[in-house]
């Protein structure tokens, strides 16, 4: 009873530390329990301890654990530097850069019981991958990688693929992911995303683009997939497809949501990022008219506490800081019963004065503002430019920065001229 109480307490305590994101402490507690009562532990205890070792990147410790608890016979041979050879090389070929990695250990699996649980066998192979013993890892994982049913053992195959990816063996990763994608259970957006990233690293941009397209079809709101697909399409010389990748919905609907602020915060952040990257792409493609329109929608969102109300004579916003503050105060008392949907959604203005700086930094918003101003000049939209600069001058965003105020006033003067 005392043994069982001890092991149960150790398991719960280890789990509690793991939940607190303290994996080293969790591993130490479980390891002490295994050391103290090796005959009373379960395969689940060993599996959890091995997991923690891998999380902590203690691969040698994990091998020792599996060796001790699962009947695996492992021999190791440490490859120390040959000092005489090193001295000879340094004497004869100074700066040649010819060195051998010190302390690298080669592991040889002498005995691997057939009854070892498949998850522990997998962890053994993963540790060998991380320890650069690829031939031994291939032998240990051969049955899983080549012969197992990927529908049943897909999670383990994904762990193996991740290990190969982290060590830079992307062709092996590709082969594993290809097997998984041809199944019912793992034909998933997350697996397609890994495959797309793998093909991108391998330089097959066409297949990578196809895979990213599949991800977007399965998960239309996946921002990183859209950004990656857009970059690849641009590299492939497909500018229109690059822009399309950054459009999660109808473009007019998407920019309208941003300018009116009529969506939840998660969707808003995604839309802001997509439209921002599309704006940058439009600039790169020298499509200034389209950029000016979509960039103006971004500015309408950023200056939303003043943009909808700005209708005063432009000279009023060019006078003093006190006058601009007075205008902002007037905006805050405008009729809340307005039918303008943009006005209805501007509550608690000062707390939201920074537009959405959880997505873009203030400097990025400022740079975008300047780019939109220049684009409006290029396309001759001076009325919109005047309205934008008034909104900027009366907004909370830039009023505490004299340099930015000066730039906006100069722009107003340009418009008046």
């Amino acid at each position: 009873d005392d043994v069982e109480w001890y092991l149960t307490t150790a398991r719960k305590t280890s789990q509690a530390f793991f939940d607190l994101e303290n994996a080293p402490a969790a591993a130490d507690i479980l390891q002490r329990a295994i050391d103290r009562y090796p005959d009373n532990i379960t395969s689940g205890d060993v599996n959890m301890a091995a997991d923690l070792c891998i999380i902590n990147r203690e691969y040698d410790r994990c091998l020792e654990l599996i060796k001790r608890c699962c009947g695996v016979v492992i021999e190791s041979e440490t490859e120390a530097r040959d000092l005489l050879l090193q001295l000879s090389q340094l004497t004869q070929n100074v700066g040649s850069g010819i060195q051998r990695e010190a302390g690298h250990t080669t592991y040889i699996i002498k005995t691997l019981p057939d009854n070892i649980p498949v998850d522990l066998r997998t962890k053994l192979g993963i540790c060998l991958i991380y320890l650069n013993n690829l031939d031994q890892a291939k032998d240990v994982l051969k049955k899983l990688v080549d012969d197992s049913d990927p529908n049943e053992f897909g999670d383990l195959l994904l762990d193996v693929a991740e290990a190969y990816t982290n060590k830079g063996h992307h062709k092996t990763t590709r082969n594993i992911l290809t097997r998984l994608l041809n199944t019912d259970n793992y034909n998933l957006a997350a697996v397609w995303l890994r495959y797309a990233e793998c093909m991108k690293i391998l330089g097959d941009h066409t297949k990578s683009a196809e895979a990213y397209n599949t991800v977007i079809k399965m998960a239309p709101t996946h921002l990183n997939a859209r950004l990656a697909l857009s970059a690849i399409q641009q590299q492939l010389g497909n500018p229109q497809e690059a822009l399309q990748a950054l459009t999660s919905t109808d473009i007019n609907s998407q920019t309208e949501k941003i300018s009116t602020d009529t969506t939840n915060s998660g969707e808003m952040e995604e839309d802001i990022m997509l439209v921002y990257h599309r704006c940058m792409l439009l600039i790169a493609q020298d499509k200034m008219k389209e950029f000016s329109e979509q960039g103006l929608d971004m500015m309408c969102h950023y200056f939303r506490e003043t943009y909808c109300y700005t209708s005063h004579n432009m000279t009023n916003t060019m006078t003093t800081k006190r006058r601009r503050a007075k205008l902002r105060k007037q905006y805050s008392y405008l009729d809340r019963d307005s039918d303008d949907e943009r006005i209805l959604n501007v509550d608690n203005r000062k707390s939201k004065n920074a537009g959405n700086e959880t997505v873009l930094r203030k400097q990025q918003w400022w740079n975008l503002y300047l780019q939109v101003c220049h684009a409006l000049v290029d396309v001759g939209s001076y009325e919109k430019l005047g309205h934008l600069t008034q909104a900027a001058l009366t907004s909370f965003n830039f009023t505490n920065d004299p340099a930015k105020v000066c730039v906006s006033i100069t722009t107003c003067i340009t418009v008046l001229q």
Side-chain angles (χ1 to χ4, degrees):
D1 291 342
D2 290 341
V3 173
E4 188 58 35
W5 175 86
Y6 180 89
L7 291 175
T8 300
T9 303
R11 291 171 189 135
K12 291 181 179 179
T13 307
S14 177
Q15 184 63 50
F17 274 110
F18 182 75
D19 292 340
L20 293 172
E21 299 183 356
N22 190 345
D28 288 341
I29 289 170
L30 200 54
Q31 187 68 55
R32 283 200 296 270
I34 292 172
D35 291 341
R36 185 167 182 176
Y37 297 109
D39 296 330
N40 300 91
I41 60 172
T42 66
S43 61
D45 297 327
V46 180
N47 192 51
M48 182 60 184
D51 267 330
L52 291 169
C53 288
I54 292 175
I55 291 171
N56 295 327
R57 300 182 181 181
E58 297 175 328
Y59 307 116
D60 293 294
R61 184 179 183 182
C62 185
L63 288 185
E64 185 61 32
L65 173 71
I66 295 174
K67 174 183 176 180
R68 184 155 53 95
C69 298
C70 301
V72 181
V73 178
I74 307 174
E75 293 184 359
S76 62
E77 177 185 348
T78 302
E79 298 177 351
R81 294 181 182 179
D82 188 334
L83 295 179
L84 294 177
L85 178 61
Q86 286 282 335
L87 290 173
S88 176
Q89 289 176 343
L90 290 173
T91 303
Q92 300 177 15
N93 303 302
V94 176
S96 65
I98 300 175
Q99 293 183 342
R100 295 177 63 191
E101 183 182 356
H104 174 72
T105 303
T106 299
Y107 291 95
I108 301 173
I109 308 297
K110 292 292 187 178
T111 303
L112 184 62
D114 292 334
N115 62 349
I116 182 173
V118 64
D119 47 359
L120 285 171
R121 186 187 188 106
T122 302
K123 289 177 176 59
L124 172 61
I126 288 173
C127 288
L128 291 170
I129 293 171
Y130 280 115
L131 292 169
N132 299 309
N133 285 252
L134 298 179
D135 290 338
Q136 293 293 309
K138 183 178 179 180
D139 292 340
V140 170
L141 297 170
K142 179 176 175 55
K143 186 175 180 179
L144 172 70
V145 172
D146 297 338
D147 303 326
S148 67
D149 180 4
N151 272 307
E152 183 179 356
F153 298 103
D155 287 346
L156 296 178
L157 287 169
L158 285 173
D159 290 340
V160 173
E162 181 180 7
Y164 277 119
T165 297
N166 291 339
K167 296 300 292 184
H169 303 286
H170 302 291
K171 290 183 179 179
T172 306
T173 299
R174 176 194 60 195
N175 296 337
I176 296 173
L177 295 177
T178 300
R179 285 194 69 206
L180 288 169
L181 291 173
N182 289 321
T183 67
D184 294 329
N185 294 342
Y186 290 91
N187 185 17
L188 305 172
V191 182
W192 276 106
L193 181 63
R194 291 197 189 187
Y195 181 77
E197 293 167 347
C198 180
M199 299 312 296
K200 180 181 177 181
I201 293 173
L202 290 173
D204 193 336
H205 289 166
T206 300
K207 286 189 177 180
S208 180
E210 292 173 355
Y212 277 122
N213 264 317
T214 303
V215 174
I216 292 170
K217 289 178 183 178
M218 293 180 168
T221 61
H222 200 295
L223 176 61
N224 290 335
R226 290 186 174 277
L227 296 179
L229 176 60
S230 178
I232 290 175
Q233 293 288 16
Q234 189 74 358
Q235 291 177 21
L236 291 173
N238 302 321
Q240 193 58 41
E241 288 79 358
L243 288 171
Q244 185 60 37
L246 299 177
T247 307
S248 63
T249 59
D250 175 72
I251 181 60
N252 294 325
S253 171
Q254 191 176 30
T255 53
E256 177 70 13
K257 284 195 298 182
I258 291 177
S259 61
T260 59
D261 199 14
T262 56
T263 187
N264 64 55
S265 60
E267 292 178 351
M268 175 63 70
E269 290 181 2
E270 179 200 346
D271 287 334
I272 288 173
M273 285 300 296
L274 285 176
V275 176
Y276 174 76
H277 283 280
R278 188 163 58 242
C279 285
M280 297 299 102
L281 192 54
L282 286 168
I283 292 175
Q285 295 179 4
D286 199 27
K287 296 181 178 180
M288 302 311 294
K289 180 172 177 56
E290 294 92 330
F291 164 70
S292 66
E293 295 171 353
Q294 294 180 33
L296 198 58
D297 285 318
M298 290 280 285
M299 290 295 99
C300 179
H301 167 76
Y302 190 58
F303 299 132
R304 61 185 178 272
E305 85 278 11
T306 59
Y307 193 92
C308 303
Y309 306 111
T310 303
S311 59
H312 293 273
N313 188 292
M314 194 177 296
T315 56
N316 287 338
T317 61
M318 295 167 52
T319 53
T320 65
K321 183 176 181 180
R322 179 175 295 180
R323 175 65 64 86
R324 292 192 291 273
K326 184 178 180 180
L327 289 176
R328 285 196 302 275
K329 188 175 181 180
Q330 291 176 7
Y331 298 155
S332 68
Y333 290 107
L334 285 176
D335 185 9
R336 296 293 180 94
D337 297 326
S338 171
D339 291 331
D340 190 329
E341 192 176 38
R342 290 178 294 182
I343 294 178
L344 289 172
N345 283 278
V346 185
D347 293 326
N348 193 19
R349 290 171 179 76
K350 193 161 186 177
S351 67
K352 298 171 71 177
N353 67 324
N356 197 324
E357 290 176 4
T358 61
V359 183
L360 300 177
R361 298 186 303 274
K362 183 181 284 289
Q363 187 61 41
Q364 288 177 296
W365 282 110
W366 172 249
N367 292 339
L368 181 62
Y369 167 70
L370 294 178
Q371 290 169 317
V372 172
C373 288
H374 293 152
L376 291 171
V377 171
D378 290 343
V379 300
S381 297
Y382 294 105
E383 183 177 350
K384 292 179 179 179
L385 175 61
H387 191 88
L388 174 60
T389 52
Q390 287 184 78
L393 283 168
T394 51
S395 168
F396 292 104
N397 292 292
F398 298 150
T399 51
N400 293 326
D401 190 326
K404 291 181 172 63
V405 171
C406 183
V407 171
S408 293
I409 291 177
T410 303
T411 306
C412 284
I413 294 173
T414 302
V415 174
L416 288 173
Q417 291 176 341

